[in-house]
Amino acid sequence: MPAVVMKFGGSSVVDATAIRRVIRIVTAERDRGRVPVVVVSALGRVTDRLLGLAEEARLGHQVDVEAGTAELLRRHAHEAAQLGADGDASLVQAFDTQFAHLHSLLQAIEDCRAADPRALDAIAASGELLSSRLVAAAMTAVGLPAVWVDARDVVLTDDRHTCAAPRIDDIAVAAREKLDPIVSAGSIAVLGGFVGRAPDGSTTTLGRGGSDYSAALVGAGIGADEIQIWTDVDGMLTADPRVVNDADVVPHLSFAEAAELAYFGAKVLHPSTIFPAVARNIPVRILNSHRPEAKGTLITADPPRAHRSFAALACKRGITILDITSSRMLMAHGFLRRVFEVFDRFETAVDVVTTSEVSVSVTIDDNRRGPDIVAALLEFADVTVEEQMALLAVVGDRLTTNSALAARVVGALTSFPLRMISQAASRRNVTIVLPEASLARAMMHLHRELFAVSGQMR
Ligand code: ADP
Ligand code: ASP
Ligand code: MG
């Protein structure tokens, strides 16, 4: 039977009203003859709240921790009652067990005034474990054949707590074993996103925003017909709507374009979402749970040839530039190897690289190991660091064949203080680095220039 993975983000399951909408969307898909496999995030803002409680516990703020936990319990119980699921004995039992576990995890942090990544994962995972139970019970309450599945039995990962990597082959086996029988019976499997299990049995998470990735992993694991990412916007937009208020929906994207946009900050997709889909050539759709009638964005290997020059813009704030100059004045043989070996040693990804005869400039968006990296580089180079930079990426497959397009991007930004310009190896994107303070204006300006609604210029 054809299966469709349908992932609903936090705002799509924020309360009973939103969950009822989810049920209508899932029912409609089922009525069209495909079996939904549902992946849900925690109820809106719950993950932030849980991690906030872990921090309160670490600081020893016992009263706040107690009050916060009670509030979370009240919220889940209230939504369950609104959905007519409060009489479901298995849901009541699941909530009791999960909250007791959460309580003891927070207690342990408070006792030792320290929160290690394992504990943080177990705490953060409560959000999805609770929401998936709630959604499954709400479906059962309206007569749908829903089966709750512990996502940790399917999404098997390594043990890098808080940013675990999936074990793809093991997931394929587990997904078939756990999910195929449910799909074959025409029932609706409901799993929490974001969470997984390490080889030692401990709970892991795939990193913030990771439920999209869970959906793609599950979809690839069962060979789904389609992976749907249901969120709070009409699809992938031509720019981050929090910066550009008249961004348009992009109807079609290639896998490569979507992967670049996600990587360069389009939050609507977790950066790793596309890879499992590519591996099995499964279409990914981004849809709006608040407006299910909107067409959304369809992401495929080979989308219809668009009449547009560019697909979309994306941006990331909080970027740090490191200018690294060889102390011998020339880029001696082996210099770049030594530079990149340092980033490797401190497990820090480099986004943009530009070089000159004597120096190399790189950007990083995770500056946690910044001081260690600089110390290691200073052993053989001079280093200057600039923080509060931003990265602005223009993405589009046509950039690979039409070099005039890159010139158009850079030409449109001449009045902005650009610090780095790079056209990636794939040449599917042009990436600009500039001060964070100039980002919003630059993005709005570039969007007007490249995506002007009136013009046929796209
Ligand atoms: P969910 O909770 O459903 O996973 P997210 O908040 O993670 O939702 O992602 C959706 C948000 O991504 C949107 O509300 C929007 O603010 C942001 N976003 C950033 N860039 C884009 C873009 N290019 N297209 C659409 N949304 C974007
Ligand atoms: N709930 C998790 C988060 O907020 C995962 C997700 O929603 O994708 O990061
Ligand atoms: Mg998200």
Side-chain angles (χ1 to χ4, degrees):
M1 251 194 236
V4 180
V5 174
M6 307 177 77
K7 176 262 172 177
F8 295 89
S11 72
S12 302
V13 292
V14 69
D15 57 16
T17 308
I19 293 173
R20 275 193 216 100
R21 234 174 356 238
V22 165
I23 294 177
R24 282 199 295 277
I25 292 168
V26 169
T27 306
E29 184 64 65
R30 197 159 176 263
D31 291 346
R32 284 193 287 270
R34 300 198 287 190
V35 183
V37 172
V38 174
V39 174
V40 292
S41 290
L43 307 194
R45 300 179 303 279
V46 164
T47 311
D48 285 342
R49 196 73 199 96
L50 286 164
L51 293 172
L53 289 178
E55 181 58 12
E56 301 275 16
R58 194 184 65 80
L59 297 170
H61 298 165
Q62 193 193 356
V63 176
D64 295 333
V65 173
E66 297 283 338
T69 313
E71 169 56 29
L72 274 180
L73 174 55
R74 262 200 309 278
R75 179 171 166 198
H76 283 82
H78 173 76
E79 304 309 343
Q82 296 291 306
L83 290 160
D86 49 339
D88 182 326
S90 69
L91 180 69
V92 173
Q93 166 79 50
F95 277 9
D96 281 352
T97 310
Q98 195 62 49
F99 274 101
H101 187 47
L102 177 61
H103 188 266
S104 59
L105 287 162
L106 290 166
Q107 186 69 58
I109 290 180
E110 210 175 296
D111 286 348
C112 50
R113 295 284 194 273
D116 70 6
R118 283 171 179 273
L120 290 176
D121 266 355
I123 288 170
S126 322
E128 270 71 7
L129 295 172
L130 290 164
S131 67
S132 55
R133 290 277 196 180
L134 176 60
V135 170
M139 287 182 176
T140 307
V142 296
L144 286 171
V147 180
W148 180 77
V149 175
D150 190 335
R152 294 169 296 186
D153 294 338
V154 176
V155 181
L156 305 172
T157 70
D158 67 8
D159 62 358
R160 289 162 57 113
H161 286 275
T162 74
C163 55
R167 294 185 277 130
I168 303 285
D169 294 342
D170 295 339
I171 291 175
V173 173
R176 281 196 296 271
E177 188 188 315
K178 301 282 175 197
L179 300 175
D180 276 0
I182 300 173
V183 171
S184 304
S187 299
I188 304 168
V190 182
L191 307 83
F194 184 49
V195 305
R197 200 187 305 281
D200 67 1
S202 58
T203 298
T204 55
T205 65
L206 301 172
R208 295 306 305 269
S211 295
D212 303 335
Y213 195 16
S214 300
L217 291 164
V218 168
I222 60 171
D225 262 24
E226 187 170 289
I227 296 160
Q228 299 176 351
I229 306 293
W230 289 86
T231 183
D232 60 356
V233 283
D234 279 355
M236 179 68 80
L237 304 176
T238 48
D240 188 330
R242 293 164 298 184
V243 181
V244 175
N245 59 19
D246 59 350
D248 259 344
V249 179
V250 187
H252 298 277
L253 282 172
S254 67
F255 282 136
E257 286 173 329
E260 297 270 355
L261 286 166
Y263 183 77
F264 284 112
K267 187 184 170 226
V268 69
L269 278 186
H270 179 278
S272 305
T273 311
I274 294 299
F275 300 112
V278 174
R280 307 244 355 219
N281 196 19
I282 302 172
V284 177
R285 247 181 235 280
I286 307 177
L287 294 153
N288 189 348
S289 71
H290 305 263
R291 282 187 0 106
E293 67 284 3
K295 284 203 153 51
T297 298
L298 177 61
I299 307 166
T300 52
D302 204 4
R305 255 184 83 85
H307 296 292
R308 53 168 166 81
S309 302
F310 306 97
L313 311 180
C315 62
K316 266 197 218 179
R317 292 186 170 78
I319 299 292
T320 301
I321 300 183
L322 282 85
D323 284 316
I324 307 154
T325 306
S326 164
S327 2
R328 294 200 213 128
M329 292 311 291
L330 279 177
M331 294 267 264
H333 170 73
F335 177 68
L336 287 179
R337 183 184 53 71
R338 289 185 74 184
V339 168
F340 287 106
E341 187 274 326
V342 170
F343 290 96
D344 185 33
R345 186 166 1 127
F346 294 105
E347 296 183 339
T348 296
V350 165
D351 288 330
V352 183
V353 183
T354 58
T355 58
S356 77
E357 194 191 359
V358 293
S359 70
V360 52
S361 301
V362 305
T363 68
I364 55 176
D365 77 344
D366 175 358
N367 200 19
R368 279 175 302 179
R369 308 301 300 274
D372 298 326
I373 291 170
V374 171
L377 290 169
L378 283 172
E379 287 174 19
F380 59 92
D382 297 329
V383 184
T384 56
V385 177
E386 273 181 282
E387 293 179 339
Q388 294 181 334
M389 305 301 285
L391 203 147
L392 173 54
V394 184
V395 173
D397 282 339
R398 298 262 292 268
L399 278 160
T400 58
T401 50
N402 183 349
S403 53
L405 294 178
R408 221 172 111 197
V409 172
V410 179
L413 291 173
T414 45
S415 61
F416 290 90
L418 310 186
R419 274 290 280 107
M420 290 166 73
I421 301 171
S422 142
Q423 188 168 13
S426 70
R427 297 190 303 130
R428 193 168 272 108
N429 77 65
V430 178
T431 308
I432 309 280
V433 184
L434 75 177
E436 217 176 273
S438 303
L439 174 69
R441 255 182 351 101
M443 197 169 190
M444 285 187 268
H445 178 75
L446 195 55
H447 190 263
R448 256 196 318 275
E449 291 290 313
L450 306 184
F451 295 88
V453 180
S454 57
Q456 303 303 312
M457 295 291 291
R458 291 154 144 238

